[in-house]
Amino acid sequence: MKSVQRILPFFLILFCAVEAHAVDQPFAVKIPEGLYLYQPSMRFSDFTALFIVKDGKLVDPYLKYAASGRNFVEVMSDEERKLLDGLNKEYASGRAFTVYRGRERAGGLRDVKLKIVRNCYSQKMMSNIIGDGRYTDDPEYSKNAAALYTFNHDFEDFALLKGIAAPSGIKDFIKGKGFVVSEADKVKALEAAKASLFGEAMRRIKNDLRHLHRGVPFDIVSEGEGGLEYLRAIDIDGDGEKDLVGIYIVDVGYRFRDAGAADAYVARDSKEVLFTVLGMGKAEAVAFGEYIQPAFSLGGVIDIDQDGALELVVQVSMAESGGEEGDYEEGRRIEVFMHGKRGWIKVYGTKGICGSFN
């Protein structure tokens, strides 16, 4: 069950490399205006741009920077420098940020200066916007290790609840309950995922394989019922009770139908699903992974419309081609999901950003 990265052929990247754009917002943004940042990883102290709140809308800060060229050069152009100076002046310089993890204040971020980290080669993705600053832990913040289960330590950083830096304090953030992921929770989540998500995961695996092998016939020769990579306990819907969010993975073995004896080995493929179980309800898919593993990293949670329910901030692995077969670049998108009557819907998404999160 250890997650591995796959090498993507050129034609598959063309099939899957659809850039994400900001989604029409079916809700009112009620958090304070300004720039929001988040932690891509708990291994490092860097914060990176999440979104800008302006005139009641979520604005992608990377789109401002996209007005300039994205060539991989060491010296910034005058246009790039002007755009970066504008972002710093309007949203960072002299401002203090409050950092939250879940519903708790986790610390403060000061002396922030935005910079562009150039690690793009394909010229199709955005260079990362990093917010360097001075972070101070809140002494009242309590890390709750019992709220997280991982299949092994490889998944821990992807499952940890990262910090989100808000430009000023957000009202009604409270100290979270000390939830625990119990053995019963693991059983409940896995059974719910099998019942609700397994069939769709298998359908997507088979569809992926048809595209991957350009229609060459194959047979699924082994399939499991799926397993959990990680599970986190948190109150998502604001009712004070424990909810669960995690990754469910389905793994299969397949063999080409017309392969000779020498080539009749069993290949493997899998599909990761980010899902939740709210209260005693069924498992609901937040998103299905594309072609790279790990597919997701939980970025954090935030109540954008201040209705008491939390939205999920998620990093999604992606790849884009540089134009030649075998020439591709891995990166990530930042997406925000909101829960409603139709389940989880994406309400914000960036274009591709250079640098994978693993």
Side-chain angles (χ1 to χ4, degrees):
M1 282 239 293
K2 185 175 180 179
S3 187
V4 296
Q5 286 192 313
R6 259 176 257 179
I7 301 299
L8 306 184
F10 172 62
F11 71 89
L12 183 55
I13 294 166
L14 292 180
F15 173 76
C16 73
V18 179
E19 288 186 325
H21 297 270
V23 180
D24 290 336
Q25 294 167 192
F27 62 97
V29 178
K30 295 183 180 179
I31 51 178
E33 295 208 340
L35 173 68
Y36 288 70
L37 305 109
Y38 80 105
Q39 291 175 288
S41 170
M42 294 294 284
R43 299 188 190 114
F44 310 105
S45 59
D46 288 337
F47 282 75
T48 188
L50 173 57
F51 51 63
I52 294 168
V53 175
K54 189 170 185 177
D55 299 327
K57 296 284 187 180
L58 301 181
V59 179
D60 184 354
Y62 290 91
L63 293 182
K64 282 181 169 288
Y65 182 64
S68 65
R70 286 175 275 173
N71 291 333
F72 188 81
V73 293
E74 295 301 324
V75 180
M76 294 185 70
S77 68
D78 290 340
E79 182 184 15
E80 288 174 314
R81 188 175 291 105
K82 182 178 179 181
L83 286 166
L84 186 60
D85 288 346
L87 284 173
N88 270 305
K89 182 177 180 181
E90 187 172 0
Y91 297 111
S93 297
R95 288 166 174 76
F97 294 79
T98 304
V99 178
Y100 298 94
R101 292 195 184 98
R103 299 181 186 276
E104 291 188 64
R105 175 180 169 135
L109 187 65
R110 294 180 176 274
D111 303 327
V112 174
K113 185 174 182 179
L114 301 176
K115 64 179 183 179
I116 302 298
V117 176
R118 297 174 171 279
N119 51 2
C120 291
Y121 291 90
S122 70
Q123 302 181 26
K124 288 182 174 291
M125 296 191 198
M126 304 296 164
S127 293
N128 202 9
I129 300 176
I130 295 290
D132 274 344
R134 187 159 50 91
Y135 177 76
T136 305
D137 279 314
D138 191 321
E140 297 298 317
Y141 172 69
S142 58
K143 298 180 177 67
N144 181 17
L148 177 65
Y149 157 78
T150 59
F151 177 74
N152 62 41
H153 291 306
D154 290 345
F155 304 114
E156 187 168 311
D157 192 59
F158 310 139
L160 289 170
L161 206 58
K162 319 309 190 295
I164 292 180
S168 58
I170 301 178
K171 66 176 183 178
D172 297 333
F173 265 68
I174 58 176
K175 195 172 185 64
K177 281 188 178 181
F179 292 121
V180 173
V181 175
S182 66
E183 289 299 322
D185 291 330
K186 298 175 197 175
V187 172
K188 177 179 74 172
L190 184 55
E191 291 300 319
K194 289 176 184 176
S196 301
L197 306 176
F198 178 79
E200 178 61 16
M202 284 297 300
R203 187 191 70 79
R204 289 175 181 248
I205 286 173
K206 292 174 183 178
N207 189 55
D208 290 350
L209 290 174
R210 281 191 287 269
H211 286 283
L212 176 63
H213 299 298
R214 305 186 186 187
V216 174
F218 63 89
D219 294 308
I220 301 293
V221 296
S222 66
E223 60 182 58
E225 295 180 319
L228 297 175
E229 287 188 348
Y230 67 75
L231 200 63
R232 166 165 285 283
I234 185 174
D235 176 17
I236 295 174
D237 55 13
D239 64 358
E241 300 301 321
K242 176 167 57 176
D243 304 311
L244 301 170
V245 57
I247 294 288
Y248 172 65
I249 182 167
V250 176
D251 182 77
V252 304
Y254 68 97
R255 180 183 289 126
F256 295 115
R257 194 169 297 167
D258 299 326
D263 298 321
Y265 64 91
V266 176
R268 310 299 302 180
D269 198 85
S270 60
K271 178 66 66 176
E272 290 178 296
V273 190
L274 179 67
F275 77 101
T276 61
V277 179
L278 303 184
M280 298 302 294
K282 67 177 185 178
E284 296 179 277
V286 180
F288 287 82
E290 293 179 357
Y291 301 92
I292 296 177
Q293 293 177 302
F296 306 106
S297 176
L298 190 60
V301 291
I302 186 170
D303 184 4
I304 294 172
D305 57 355
Q306 295 288 279
D307 68 346
L310 297 171
E311 282 70 63
L312 300 181
V313 177
V314 181
Q315 296 179 97
V316 181
S317 286
M318 61 175 297
E320 289 192 356
S321 170
E324 297 180 8
E325 186 169 358
D327 177 19
Y328 75 95
E329 187 168 35
E330 293 180 10
R332 69 189 189 278
R333 299 190 301 265
I334 306 169
E335 299 182 346
V336 178
F337 295 89
M338 171 181 282
H339 192 266
K341 293 180 180 179
R342 295 182 295 151
W344 290 98
I345 58 171
K346 185 172 73 174
V347 295
Y348 171 80
T350 67
K351 289 176 176 284
I353 301 169
C354 290
S356 57
F357 53 72
N358 51 323

